[in-house]
Amino acid sequence: MLRNAPTLADVARLAGVSEITVSRVVRNKGPIAAGTRARVHEAIVKLGYVPNRAAGALASAASPLIGVLLPSLSNIVFPEVLRGIHTALAPTGYQPLIGVTDYDPLKEQHLLSSLLAWQPAAIITTGFEHTDASRQMLSNSRIRVAELMDIDAEPIDIAVGLSQRGAGFDTARHLISRNYRRFGYVGHDWNADHRARLRYEGLRGALAEAGLELKAEERFDGPSSTMAGRETLAALLSQKPDLDVVVFSNDDMAVGGFFHCLGAGIRVGQDLGLFGFNGLDIGQALPLPLSTIRSNRFAIGRIAVEKLMESSRRPEEKLVVDTGYQIIAGATA
Amino acid sequence: MLRNAPTLADVARLAGVSEITVSRVVRNKGPIAAGTRARVHEAIVKLGYVPNRAAGALASAASPLIGVLLPSLSNIVFPEVLRGIHTALAPTGYQPLIGVTDYDPLKEQHLLSSLLAWQPAAIITTGFEHTDASRQMLSNSRIRVAELMDIDAEPIDIAVGLSQRGAGFDTARHLISRNYRRFGYVGHDWNADHRARLRYEGLRGALAEAGLELKAEERFDGPSSTMAGRETLAALLSQKPDLDVVVFSNDDMAVGGFFHCLGAGIRVGQDLGLFGFNGLDIGQALPLPLSTIRSNRFAIGRIAVEKLMESSRRPEEKLVVDTGYQIIAGATA
DNA sequence: ATAAATTATGTCAGCGCTGTCATAAATCGA
DNA sequence: TCGATTTATGACAGCGCTGACATAATTTAT
């Protein structure tokens, strides 16, 4: 932006009104006579005026920015949440200011303070794992805060997501009802991905209730990926070949598992059941649609924004929105 | 952010120095005595001072923001570019302000003007297709501009990417050298995705040079996806079964094609060759690794930021960085 | 017709910071 | 030793906008 870009004052002069009137026209605020509005708009177009957001943010101690903290951009899950956020934000004039935490609460804390420096209207972050300092900043700021993906704990303000533990639990219930008994588990690094751990715990809980247990489990030491799923299933089966179903930490891993079976001549759905989590498109495009759980990621982002926008002040009551999950029966388990 | 958050003045008072000195300490600018610096830092920590970015941006007519315009977040390609941008940005203190254009130049134009209102240090956008007004805004602004993904036209300032046309061309050359002759093409909507069209044109160009042609082609009317690839290949083959290789507009589509073959009992690599574009992980995790072209998306984002950061003023010379592409021979063609 | 309410517009200070220019203190060179 | 540099700090205005508080013009009610 140039120093000599037209300002409110320039527009006001050209339209023959005061600056504040132009400001009101631009922000659609307060009563403006139709004729005045027209003249101002004309002047705006003529000069190519674009409001300086920094000045506006400073003067009003508020900005049309929404801080968004995402743990990762490496698989499609969080971009989809972001897409939901974006879709809901687009008609409002708010813009997302993004930070990527790499699943690191300390990084989240640093990013949070630089986001807060912009005086955003709201902050959207992921999960409930924050440093004390982050929590402090968020509650001090008094702006609206949404914590996404999980609803298994008490939010700072709004939580939007699904019960990760419940999803794990219902995975086991579903598979037990389909007469699977010899369960294996293939996961990835859950120091990073806390929600994968919650699903795992839910899974084990339901198995225990049914008097069952995991016959074998293997965790890939790194982030989830198709390749990791493929290799980790191979490792699991070489150690324990007589499983009748394997639950994966997510669809990326499960699709990899499917590919392993394809290569190894294992008939998926007959010799071995496979179950994922997320309901990604890729899983449903497989020759056998993947049995999995739909996690409604787009909706989580969209609904979070909608709820945040309902009021600029944080209400007394904390809000928890359960976006639910649906078991996709599929054909692999 | 609260109206009563500590300001520079509060820090200055506590440290017993002037505001400008605190400002200099915070920004690491100008000479500061070690003792002064220490006292200021102490005061900053004690008060939990966080600089108000809006004020800084207003006063200096510049902000530590980088405007990023992406066409889509629906598949993994642009999130990966964004990840590259993010990775390079993280140590610099700059933050990305994101807009999603849905491949619509007019939407891009609107987003551009709201990004520019923040007086960003630079703008990163995609491709060369902009409205005249966008082009105008970008050149008037004098800030650094990077146009990503394609290098087949003259950039406004910096272009970082690969020759899409060249990638299409070399796809054909490669397949011809492997004795494929009966080419089919499966694409998606290229009104949106202009680069897919460039690759297609490159492909046809190389075929023509070799005295060959596309025996059949089919374009899915919508964005690329695994399912679209699967269905569109089915349609193509039902119309023209005797192809020996099918080139897809990208890996998502090609993976879908692979799944179709799996279901239809077509032996990939023997009965029919498949070739993609992008070099996504998923393609390489297939039982037969997908034959495709690696497009170095992460590097495109990272290098764009690095080049943008080299100077805050736009140099006389336009810069084109070719991040290249590599043919991944794979096993499907 | 006149007070009361409503609508339309303006004045002014100040948001929190940084650029510019000035000044003071320390260091240097011959 | 004394001007010339270099280093360290400060005073001050002003970036472009908006909130609070008038005030003027118009409509409505009585």
Side-chain angles (χ1 to χ4, degrees), chain A:
Chain A
M1 188 59 66
L2 294 170
R3 259 271 128 96
N4 52 19
T7 69
L8 265 194
D10 299 320
V11 177
R13 206 170 309 122
L14 183 58
V17 297
S18 70
E19 295 186 31
I20 192 70
T21 301
V22 178
S23 173
R24 285 178 184 133
V25 170
V26 170
R27 290 179 298 153
N28 242 321
K29 217 183 167 192
I32 300 285
T36 310
R37 167 170 287 123
R39 264 181 304 133
V40 169
H41 272 136
E42 200 181 326
I44 286 174
V45 170
K46 194 168 289 173
L47 294 175
Y49 169 73
V50 174
N52 180 325
R53 298 286 178 189
L58 178 59
S60 64
S63 78
L65 248 27
I66 304 285
V68 179
L69 288 165
L70 262 20
S72 155
L73 292 171
S74 295
N75 71 21
I76 195 66
V77 170
F78 293 107
E80 268 184 40
V81 175
L82 183 56
R83 200 163 57 83
I85 291 172
H86 231 288
T87 303
L89 239 33
T92 68
Y94 283 86
Q95 284 187 291
L97 189 55
I98 297 196
V100 175
T101 68
D102 291 324
Y103 289 98
D104 176 352
L106 213 61
K107 222 175 229 177
E108 183 195 51
Q109 178 185 321
H110 292 135
L111 285 166
L112 188 56
S113 83
S114 45
L115 291 185
L116 253 15
W118 287 105
Q119 321 204 144
I123 292 280
I124 297 176
T125 183
T126 323
F128 301 113
E129 297 212 300
H130 316 296
T131 65
D132 288 345
S134 294
R135 210 171 287 282
Q136 188 83 40
M137 282 191 273
L138 286 174
S139 38
N140 284 352
S141 75
R142 298 224 207 102
I143 58 175
R144 304 305 306 268
V145 176
E147 293 164 286
L148 305 194
M149 309 314 285
D150 195 3
I151 55 170
D152 290 332
E154 165 121 337
I156 295 169
D157 177 8
I158 300 178
V160 183
L162 56 122
S163 170
Q164 300 283 337
R165 201 180 291 273
F169 192 92
D170 285 346
T171 294
R173 297 294 320 151
H174 173 75
L175 292 171
I176 291 167
S177 80
R178 308 204 28 146
N179 291 315
Y180 289 107
R181 291 294 178 272
R182 307 184 59 77
F183 282 74
Y185 175 83
V186 164
H188 62 279
D189 180 21
W190 66 30
N191 287 321
D193 189 345
H194 182 65
R195 285 171 287 283
R197 174 183 221 146
L198 289 173
R199 295 193 294 273
Y200 170 85
E201 286 171 1
L203 180 82
R204 290 198 50 161
L207 288 178
E209 274 191 13
L212 297 170
E213 51 169 6
L214 284 178
K215 298 288 182 202
E217 58 185 291
E218 192 81 33
R219 260 198 311 283
F220 177 74
D221 184 22
S224 67
S225 70
T226 316
M227 202 55 101
R230 189 176 162 175
E231 290 167 359
T232 311
L233 178 61
L236 184 82
L237 291 178
S238 73
Q239 163 210 324
K240 194 86 179 178
D242 62 337
L243 300 169
D244 59 16
V245 67
V246 175
V247 177
F248 292 80
S249 49
N250 64 30
D251 279 7
D252 294 280
M253 300 291 284
V255 168
F258 183 88
F259 292 162
H260 167 74
C261 293
L262 230 44
I266 298 167
R267 290 170 306 169
V268 174
Q270 298 172 282
D271 305 339
L272 183 68
L274 304 180
F275 202 94
F277 174 81
N278 262 334
L280 301 187
D281 289 346
I282 180 83
Q284 299 314 301
L286 251 28
L288 296 176
L290 184 65
S291 301
T292 185
I293 288 190
R294 184 180 301 116
S295 59
N296 303 319
R297 301 164 299 284
F298 181 87
I300 290 175
R302 183 175 50 74
I303 291 171
V305 169
E306 288 168 5
K307 295 299 173 188
L308 284 173
M309 291 294 156
E310 278 177 7
S311 151
S312 61
R313 302 245 320 120
R314 205 180 289 175
E316 287 303 307
E317 291 290 301
K318 295 174 191 295
L319 176 67
V320 174
V321 181
D322 186 352
T323 50
Y325 51 83
Q326 294 80 40
I327 291 184
I328 300 175
T332 65

Side-chain angles (χ1 to χ4, degrees), chain B residues 181-299:
Chain B
R181 291 295 178 272
R182 305 184 60 77
F183 283 74
Y185 174 84
V186 165
H188 61 277
D189 180 21
W190 66 31
N191 288 320
D193 189 345
H194 182 64
R195 285 170 288 282
R197 175 181 219 147
L198 289 174
R199 295 193 294 274
Y200 169 85
E201 287 172 1
L203 180 82
R204 290 197 51 158
L207 288 178
E209 274 190 15
L212 296 170
E213 53 168 7
L214 284 179
K215 298 287 182 203
E217 57 186 290
E218 193 80 33
R219 262 197 311 283
F220 178 74
D221 185 22
S224 67
S225 69
T226 315
M227 203 53 103
R230 188 176 164 176
E231 290 167 0
T232 312
L233 178 61
L236 184 82
L237 291 177
S238 73
Q239 161 209 328
K240 194 86 178 179
D242 62 338
L243 301 170
D244 57 16
V245 67
V246 175
V247 176
F248 291 80
S249 49
N250 64 30
D251 279 7
D252 294 281
M253 300 289 285
V255 168
F258 184 89
F259 292 162
H260 167 73
C261 292
L262 230 45
I266 299 167
R267 290 169 306 168
V268 174
Q270 299 173 287
D271 304 340
L272 183 68
L274 303 180
F275 201 94
F277 175 81
N278 262 333
L280 301 187
D281 289 346
I282 179 83
Q284 300 313 301
L286 250 30
L288 297 178
L290 184 64
S291 302
T292 185
I293 287 189
R294 184 180 300 117
S295 59
N296 302 317
R297 301 164 299 284
F298 181 86

Side-chain angles (χ1 to χ4, degrees), chain B:
Chain B
M1 187 61 64
L2 295 170
R3 258 271 134 92
N4 53 17
T7 71
L8 266 195
D10 299 320
V11 177
R13 205 170 309 122
L14 182 58
V17 296
S18 69
E19 295 186 31
I20 191 71
T21 300
V22 178
S23 171
R24 284 176 184 133
V25 170
V26 170
R27 289 179 296 153
N28 241 320
K29 217 183 167 192
I32 298 286
T36 310
R37 168 170 289 121
R39 263 181 304 133
V40 170
H41 272 137
E42 199 183 326
I44 287 174
V45 171
K46 193 168 290 171
L47 294 176
Y49 169 72
V50 174
N52 180 324
R53 298 286 178 191
L58 178 59
S60 65
S63 79
L65 248 26
I66 305 284
V68 178
L69 289 165
L70 263 19
S72 154
L73 291 171
S74 296
N75 70 20
I76 195 66
V77 169
F78 292 106
E80 270 185 39
V81 175
L82 184 55
R83 199 162 58 83
I85 291 172
H86 231 287
T87 303
L89 239 34
T92 67
Y94 284 86
Q95 284 187 293
L97 188 56
I98 299 199
V100 175
T101 68
D102 291 324
Y103 289 97
D104 177 351
L106 213 60
K107 224 177 228 177
E108 183 195 49
Q109 177 186 321
H110 291 136
L111 285 167
L112 188 56
S113 81
S114 44
L115 291 185
L116 253 14
W118 287 105
Q119 321 206 139
I123 292 281
I124 296 176
T125 182
T126 322
F128 301 112
E129 297 213 298
H130 316 296
T131 66
D132 288 345
S134 295
R135 210 171 286 281
Q136 188 82 39
M137 283 192 270
L138 286 174
S139 39
N140 285 351
S141 74
R142 297 225 208 100
I143 59 175
R144 303 305 304 271
V145 177
E147 292 165 286
L148 305 193
M149 309 316 283
D150 194 3
I151 56 170
D152 291 333
E154 165 120 338
I156 295 169
D157 177 8
I158 300 178
V160 183
L162 57 123
S163 170
Q164 301 283 337
R165 200 179 291 272
F169 193 91
D170 286 347
T171 294
R173 297 295 320 148
H174 173 76
L175 292 172
I176 291 167
S177 79
R178 307 203 31 145
N179 292 315
Y180 289 107
R181 291 295 178 272
R182 305 184 60 77
F183 283 74
Y185 174 84
V186 165
H188 61 277
D189 180 21
W190 66 31
N191 288 320
D193 189 345
H194 182 64
R195 285 170 288 282
R197 175 181 219 147
L198 289 174
R199 295 193 294 274
Y200 169 85
E201 287 172 1
L203 180 82
R204 290 197 51 158
L207 288 178
E209 274 190 15
L212 296 170
E213 53 168 7
L214 284 179
K215 298 287 182 203
E217 57 186 290
E218 193 80 33
R219 262 197 311 283
F220 178 74
D221 185 22
S224 67
S225 69
T226 315
M227 203 53 103
R230 188 176 164 176
E231 290 167 0
T232 312
L233 178 61
L236 184 82
L237 291 177
S238 73
Q239 161 209 328
K240 194 86 178 179
D242 62 338
L243 301 170
D244 57 16
V245 67
V246 175
V247 176
F248 291 80
S249 49
N250 64 30
D251 279 7
D252 294 281
M253 300 289 285
V255 168
F258 184 89
F259 292 162
H260 167 73
C261 292
L262 230 45
I266 299 167
R267 290 169 306 168
V268 174
Q270 299 173 287
D271 304 340
L272 183 68
L274 303 180
F275 201 94
F277 175 81
N278 262 333
L280 301 187
D281 289 346
I282 179 83
Q284 300 313 301
L286 250 30
L288 297 178
L290 184 64
S291 302
T292 185
I293 287 189
R294 184 180 300 117
S295 59
N296 302 317
R297 301 164 299 284
F298 181 86
I300 290 174
R302 182 175 51 75
I303 291 172
V305 170
E306 287 167 6
K307 295 299 174 188
L308 284 173
M309 291 294 156
E310 278 178 7
S311 152
S312 62
R313 302 247 316 122
R314 204 180 289 175
E316 287 302 308
E317 291 288 301
K318 295 172 193 298
L319 176 67
V320 174
V321 181
D322 186 352
T323 52
Y325 51 83
Q326 294 80 41
I327 290 184
I328 300 175
T332 64

